[in-house]
Amino acid sequence: MSTSLSGPGSATQAPGREPIRSGLPRKSRDARNHAPITATGLVVKVVLLGLVAGIAIWAAFPLIEARMWVGLAILGATTAGLCYLYLTRRHIPAKYLVPGTLFLIAFQVFPVLYTASTAFTNFGDGHRGSKDDAIVAIQSSSVKQVAGSTEYALSIATKGDPTAGPLVFLVTDPKTGAVSAGDGEGLRPVDAGSVTVSPGGKVTAAEGYTILNFGQASARSPEITNLVVPTPGGALRSNGLSRAYEGKAIRAYDAGCDCIEDSETGKTWTADAATGSFVAADGERLTQGWKVSVGLENFHRVLTDPNISGPFFGTLIWNFAFAIGSTGLTFLLGIAIALALYSPRMRGTNLYRVLLILPYAMPSFAMLLVWRDMFNTDFGLVNNLFGIGVDWFGETWSARAAVLLVQLWLGYPYMFLVATGALQAIPRELTEATSVDGASPWQSFRAVTLPLLLVALSPLLIASFAYNFNNINAIWFTTEGGPFPADNPTNGATDLLITYTYRLAFGAQGAEFGMAAAVSIFIFAIVATVSAISFRRTRQQEEVYS
Amino acid sequence: MRIRTAGVVAVLGLALAASGCGDNSKDEPAAKESPKAASGKLVIWADDKRTAALKPFAEQFGKDNGVTVEVQAVSKDLQTNFVTASQQGSGPDVVVGAHDWIGNLVQNGAIDPVQLAAEQKSSFNETAIKAVTFNGQLYGVPYATENVALIRNTALAPEAPKTIEDLVATGKKLKAEKKASEILCLQSGQNGDAYHVYPLYTSGGGYLFGTTANGDYDPKDLGVGKPESIAAFQKIAKLGEKGDGALKRSITGENSIATFTGKKCAFLVSGPWAIADAKKANIAYDISPVPGFAGGKEAQPFVGVQAFYVAAKGKNKALAQEFVTNYVTKPELAVALYQAEPRPPALTAAFEQVKGTDPDLAKFQEAGKNGQVLPAIPAMAAIWDPFGKAEAAVIGGADPAKTITAAGKTIAGQIK
């Protein structure tokens, strides 16, 4: 059996038996197929496949519990496929491709699909679960104590085995001291001589019953919560493990009319499948709703709701300005400093380099908060230092300038670092040659150094742009999107699309995941388009310069 | 502006994370117990401070009753984490939190009502019981109340001001004498703070929601944007940056207490949580109710309540009910929680017990005596953000009538 195994192990074979690299593919495959199995390879394979099996078993239990058979089938098929793949000698390319593909599906494709599907629902606070969940929640939260009813002392008992026997409530009426036994059929009086009652009223022993202690009882918690003893006025329910009360569910679901009926007021709320809530004739909605598909409504709202679409395009423009501004400014400053330090006449460059890298070494989260406090009108360092009274985060343009300034401070060391690296890769002979030809330093920078720098830095600039386009920290920790216009608290002057989305999804108004997912899709489309165009242009540029 | 490997991949990840669809388990505490372990085990979620105070009592409860009790600290976004976890079936049995969560927790079906016997109910402070009542049902067992008051540096201002105008006059005098640099430390920040400005808003005549016949807040009767609210904000505007300068956007939640303890202002509007800092800074202080405008209505702060809730989807509901209704209602636990963080206990017996040792407590209680219960209806969620931002705009000098009308419209649009 062991000799028929292959896979990772074959890579560790003795060097002497390495197939000749220049040989025909067929020959190399033959060589691999006949490669001996080493002990290390076998151990690696056993451990890794064991891990796969372990993860599969760990993931299977919750799936079975939640009755998600489709998920379980996918899990089983994936695990079986993986075992097959690494236990045969065939499919060599797949052995390398499959792990990456699986991770791609799990961490990229699945979340994208999930976001996309959420965008078509009203998923959010008040509409999180299914309709059945909502009905259960409505019914259970309408259980009220029957007015003037008795609070009983309760003991949980069984007939027979404490872990499996049928449950019985032994209740004591506090006024009369009479003990009754209750189960699904109703209450029956118990002969006073056959029970022992503690001074507190609880039954401590009863003939024919086993009294459960808290530990035993709590093991059967769901059964206790679900046991309802019918009484003429309503039903006896447990309240914890030591008290029982007569309660009544005021609201009940009626499948006939697909509505909730209130037995006290006679009011009904009919299910509205379009909004996922129960609505009464007078427009009143019950608090608990459920998740429904709303089609294109979220996208429609983004494009047409004047409170969203107007600010959305304004935000989009600022978003571009912010991303271009923070990338461009850091690039300019970074390159300028890199050039200055690159000059052979510069002394003490190492010291400067250390000082310049400092901002980069600070955690940006903390620094953003420090900067926020430094821009405080009355207590901030910026105003105090210069003796001015600028309301930095209170005015649109000063707030925008401030966030760009913070970005510049946080970001230029990075640009400086990469530009220094790129500069060192450009041979000095090139610039020396231009000066021999009589070009000014500026001309030689424009014609030789900058284009060569850009070839190396363009992909980084695009990545930097894409990152800054969604740089939620930069805004959230400083201005929180403010200042806000007096008449529109939802969209501030420094809001990026991502902070705006974040506020929608997790803001104070309650979560609106469906809506936020729709905006995410818009953002994704924008960033993807911009990046695709820029990368294409970079490639053309490289062709020109190389 | 860190770029690193960023690129489209990170951007995509960010967008997804922001939409709540990325990796759902990311923020959850490591509380995923195996389904089999549920028997005889009670899981409680609370924030860090309360976890420390609860632990010994929870362990005692476990020992007395032959069950295991686990108290887990959820230091961030407890409410959101609880809702998400309970929806996925991995939530706790009991959760501890503020009463204004109730509306949201109920609309997401995350908590169940609790049944307290009449004599248990009457052992609590009435306001506290009112706070945890929603739609006519009791949804949690309260253990502490909290409200803001005026904390004043008695070295700078020996007399408690009767009205806001008194306060401003004293503050201006101190400023002129260079004994202080600010008139009043009432946190606002660039985005406002509805909670702290509320006493002034009510004194100016404003209200948030009207009440229905049974005393519940009525989301259909929204007070923001009504003439009363405009009148209130006109008074607030007079205290703002273009008026007296008593209210400023540069005073934020981060610096207000520090400015007070740094003796830069004589008056601080804050809650019991500020006292520890004042004591540490060795400041002679006194506590009095937040004063209202001269000739105005009474300044009513929000009264908030901290409570224990029974999770609707908990695995051990019976035990959770037992713990919440019969154990949390004991004064010893309330006193211990008070010692972990000094907020007035909601149980009258516990309050009496700690009152003697802590005079501040009674003063805070007195300041909140006429307070308004912080609305727990889901519609309240729509208030905070627009109301705060309108407040900040008005303090900054925006036209009150226009700003508040717009805020009222936004809020009304968000209340479904």
Side-chain angles (χ1 to χ4, degrees):
Chain A
M1 163 79 196
S2 70
T3 49
S4 70
L5 288 169
S6 87
S10 53
T12 57
Q13 58 191 284
R17 306 209 42 164
E18 188 78 16
I20 304 147
R21 284 264 173 247
S22 58
L24 290 167
R26 192 191 166 79
K27 202 175 169 188
S28 114
R29 186 174 296 150
D30 272 355
R32 247 185 234 137
N33 283 348
H34 297 112
I37 303 303
T38 61
T40 334
L42 196 63
V43 167
V44 169
K45 183 177 288 184
V46 166
V47 167
L48 287 179
L49 283 182
L51 260 178
V52 168
I55 292 172
I57 292 167
W58 171 78
F61 282 111
L63 284 173
I64 294 169
E65 199 190 16
R67 294 172 193 282
M68 292 174 73
W69 306 126
V70 180
L72 193 68
I74 294 174
L75 181 75
T78 317
T79 316
L82 280 173
C83 290
Y84 166 75
L85 185 64
Y86 292 103
L87 288 177
T88 68
R89 290 182 155 252
R90 302 168 59 197
H91 312 299
I92 305 289
K95 287 188 166 82
Y96 292 94
L97 284 176
V98 161
T101 315
L102 281 181
F103 282 121
L104 182 77
I105 292 172
F107 295 110
Q108 294 292 331
V109 177
F110 178 71
V112 168
L113 291 180
Y114 191 75
T115 312
S117 63
T118 306
F120 296 100
T121 66
N122 65 348
F123 186 39
D125 273 342
H127 299 274
R128 282 173 180 260
S130 65
K131 187 174 177 182
D132 292 338
D133 285 346
I135 291 168
V136 169
I138 289 168
Q139 287 175 341
S140 61
S141 67
S142 77
V143 175
K144 278 187 182 161
Q145 204 157 345
V146 174
S149 64
T150 326
E151 276 271 341
Y152 295 93
L154 167 74
S155 293
I156 315 262
T158 57
K159 279 186 178 164
D161 181 24
T163 54
L167 281 175
V168 179
F169 285 169
L170 292 177
V171 293
T172 318
D173 188 321
K175 281 184 215 120
T176 60
V179 176
S180 320
D183 54 24
E185 261 112 58
L187 273 181
R188 295 177 307 276
V190 173
D191 180 21
S194 68
V195 292
T196 324
V197 180
S198 76
K202 275 189 84 161
V203 176
T204 49
E207 263 171 49
Y209 296 104
T210 318
I211 308 282
L212 301 187
N213 63 28
F214 277 8
Q216 289 167 324
S218 71
R220 304 183 65 178
S221 180
E223 288 171 75
I224 295 169
T225 319
N226 291 336
L227 179 57
V228 170
V229 182
T231 57
L236 210 57
R237 291 159 202 270
S238 65
N239 181 20
L241 298 172
S242 55
R243 286 189 299 135
Y245 68 102
E246 206 175 349
K248 204 172 155 188
I250 308 291
R251 288 176 183 170
Y253 177 70
D254 183 345
C257 63
D258 195 14
C259 65
I260 299 275
E261 267 181 6
D262 191 308
S263 60
E264 263 183 357
T265 61
K267 199 168 174 177
T268 58
W269 291 264
T270 316
D272 178 3
T275 58
S277 46
F278 288 103
V279 188
D282 61 0
E284 190 203 337
R285 280 184 185 202
L286 287 181
T287 329
Q288 300 94 334
W290 63 97
K291 184 169 135 184
V292 289
S293 169
V294 293
L296 287 169
E297 202 199 287
N298 289 323
F299 296 94
H300 187 247
R301 235 181 96 196
V302 173
L303 296 173
T304 58
D305 185 334
N307 281 331
I308 299 175
S309 67
F312 186 89
F313 290 110
T315 304
L316 182 62
I317 292 167
W318 157 245
N319 204 151
F320 272 108
F322 172 79
I324 294 169
S326 38
T327 311
L329 291 174
T330 50
F331 177 68
L332 289 181
L333 186 62
I335 271 220
I337 298 177
L339 281 174
L341 289 187
Y342 187 60
S343 159
R345 279 173 295 172
M346 196 74 188
R347 293 278 166 265
T349 47
N350 280 342
L351 178 68
Y352 285 123
R353 289 211 173 105
V354 169
L355 289 177
L356 287 167
I357 297 301
L358 270 185
Y360 196 46
M362 307 275 195
S364 63
F365 289 84
M367 292 323 290
L368 286 167
L369 293 174
V370 169
W371 274 97
R372 177 195 65 192
D373 291 341
M374 292 207 296
F375 277 118
N376 187 304
T377 319
D378 290 318
F379 313 106
L381 184 72
V382 178
N383 278 356
N384 289 345
L385 201 64
F386 296 105
I388 47 175
V390 179
D391 186 6
W392 285 101
F393 290 157
E395 307 292 338
T396 303
W397 289 105
S398 56
R400 287 176 177 172
V403 291
L404 281 177
L405 215 65
V406 177
Q407 285 305 294
L408 177 61
W409 187 83
L410 282 173
Y412 81 87
Y414 172 79
M415 289 292 181
F416 161 68
L417 271 183
V418 293
T420 308
L423 272 176
Q424 257 136 24
I426 300 172
R428 282 201 195 255
E429 292 81 40
L430 284 179
T431 41
E432 279 160 16
T434 55
S435 68
V436 170
D437 287 347
S440 70
W442 172 245
Q443 275 173 326
S444 86
F445 172 73
R446 277 283 320 267
V448 177
T449 317
L450 187 64
L452 286 172
L453 266 181
L454 278 179
V455 170
L457 296 186
S458 287
L460 291 173
L461 287 179
I462 296 166
S464 166
F465 172 86
Y467 179 79
N468 275 309
F469 196 83
N470 279 312
N471 195 343
I472 184 164
N473 296 344
I475 301 298
W476 203 257
F477 288 139
T478 50
T479 61
E480 280 180 52
F484 290 83
D487 56 352
N488 181 5
T490 53
N491 202 288
T494 55
D495 251 337
L496 301 182
L497 289 174
I498 192 75
T499 54
Y500 172 69
T501 314
Y502 182 82
R503 195 178 299 118
L504 264 185
F506 308 103
Q509 294 97 326
E512 276 196 78
F513 298 121
M515 184 71 198
V519 180
S520 304
I521 288 179
F522 276 105
I523 299 181
F524 172 67
I526 293 165
V527 176
T529 316
V530 170
S531 302
I533 294 174
S534 336
F535 275 117
R536 176 161 303 169
R537 296 206 48 182
T538 318
R539 213 177 302 139
Q540 285 167 355
Q541 197 188 25
E542 275 173 34
E543 280 159 17
V544 171
Y545 294 122
S546 58
Chain B
M1 227 234 42
R2 301 291 159 90
I3 303 102
R4 293 178 178 162
T5 54
V8 181
V9 169
V11 160
L12 182 61
L14 248 174
L16 292 167
S19 64
C21 309
D23 182 4
N24 276 334
S25 60
K26 167 185 60 152
D27 271 349
E28 267 165 49
K32 290 216 171 148
E33 29 164 346
S34 76
K36 294 235 165 103
S39 47
K41 183 165 140 189
L42 185 72
V43 180
I44 304 171
W45 280 10
D47 65 19
D48 298 333
K49 265 190 188 163
R50 273 161 269 270
T51 304
L54 264 173
K55 255 192 183 141
F57 282 84
E59 267 159 26
Q60 191 60 44
F61 176 81
K63 218 181 284 165
D64 290 351
N65 298 304
V67 291
T68 18
V69 184
E70 245 178 54
V71 192
Q72 290 167 349
V74 181
S75 38
K76 226 184 127 252
D77 298 330
L78 177 55
Q79 186 188 4
T80 344
N81 278 324
F82 170 58
V83 172
T84 314
S86 82
Q87 193 194 345
Q88 292 170 345
S90 55
D93 302 299
V94 171
V95 70
V96 187
H99 87 270
D100 58 318
W101 296 2
I102 290 176
N104 188 35
L105 295 182
V106 170
Q107 75 172 350
N108 287 318
I111 54 170
D112 269 354
V114 294
Q115 310 290 339
L116 285 187
E119 77 267 25
Q120 281 179 314
K121 255 191 206 177
S122 60
S123 68
F124 282 99
N125 169 338
E126 228 174 282
T127 323
I129 287 292
K130 200 180 147 200
V132 291
T133 308
F134 174 68
N135 279 348
Q137 289 276 44
L138 204 65
Y139 273 96
V141 172
Y143 77 83
T145 63
E146 62 197 25
N147 55 269
V148 296
L150 184 73
I151 305 168
R152 103 183 165 273
N153 183 333
T154 45
L156 295 172
E159 290 298 309
K162 295 240 162 21
T163 62
I164 273 288
E165 285 80 0
D166 280 357
L167 186 154
V168 171
T170 316
K172 276 185 171 167
K173 207 178 93 205
L174 289 169
K175 230 175 127 175
E177 292 166 1
K178 300 254 184 254
K179 283 186 185 157
S181 60
E182 303 298 328
I183 297 171
L184 167 67
C185 282
L186 190 154
Q187 67 188 62
S188 151
Q190 293 292 351
N191 292 326
D193 188 318
Y195 182 78
H196 284 84
V197 86
Y198 195 68
L200 296 182
Y201 178 67
T202 49
S203 174
Y207 68 99
L208 290 182
F209 295 108
T211 44
T212 57
N214 63 7
D216 283 352
Y217 285 106
D218 179 6
K220 277 182 227 113
D221 179 10
L222 177 68
V224 184
K226 295 262 168 68
E228 294 94 328
S229 71
I230 296 175
F233 268 98
Q234 273 159 348
K235 288 187 174 177
I236 290 172
K238 279 197 195 114
L239 299 174
E241 289 167 21
K242 300 244 162 94
D244 292 319
L247 299 177
K248 283 172 147 188
R249 286 172 298 170
S250 58
I251 295 174
T252 66
E254 285 82 29
N255 65 25
S256 64
I257 296 175
T259 311
F260 175 76
T261 53
K263 297 179 188 171
K264 286 180 195 146
C265 60
F267 302 103
L268 169 73
V269 172
S270 195
W273 51 89
I275 295 301
D277 284 2
K279 279 190 176 144
K280 216 186 285 165
N282 238 337
I283 282 187
Y285 65 89
D286 198 9
I287 299 156
S288 56
V290 179
F293 295 100
K297 292 194 175 165
E298 193 178 22
Q300 295 176 290
F302 276 133
V303 177
V305 168
Q306 297 282 331
F308 285 78
Y309 308 103
V310 175
K313 291 181 183 159
K315 297 195 177 68
N316 211 336
K317 233 148 88 168
L319 191 60
Q321 284 167 343
E322 179 68 26
F323 179 79
V324 167
T325 59
N326 292 337
Y327 197 66
V328 172
T329 46
K330 289 185 176 160
E332 297 93 282
L333 185 64
V335 172
L337 287 167
Y338 156 78
Q339 276 149 359
E341 197 183 18
R343 303 180 192 224
L347 266 176
T348 324
F351 181 76
E352 295 300 327
Q353 207 177 320
V354 294
K355 195 174 69 175
T357 56
D358 186 351
D360 296 343
L361 217 54
K363 288 176 188 164
F364 267 112
Q365 176 98 338
E366 179 65 26
K369 207 174 64 182
N370 299 312
Q372 282 182 12
V373 174
L374 188 58
I377 51 177
M380 188 60 197
I383 294 268
W384 295 112
D385 196 47
F387 188 96
K389 282 168 183 166
E391 175 211 335
V394 168
I395 291 176
D399 175 48
K402 207 182 113 206
T403 309
I404 300 311
T405 315
K409 230 181 250 165
T410 311
I411 294 166
Q414 276 169 0
I415 298 175
K416 286 167 214 149

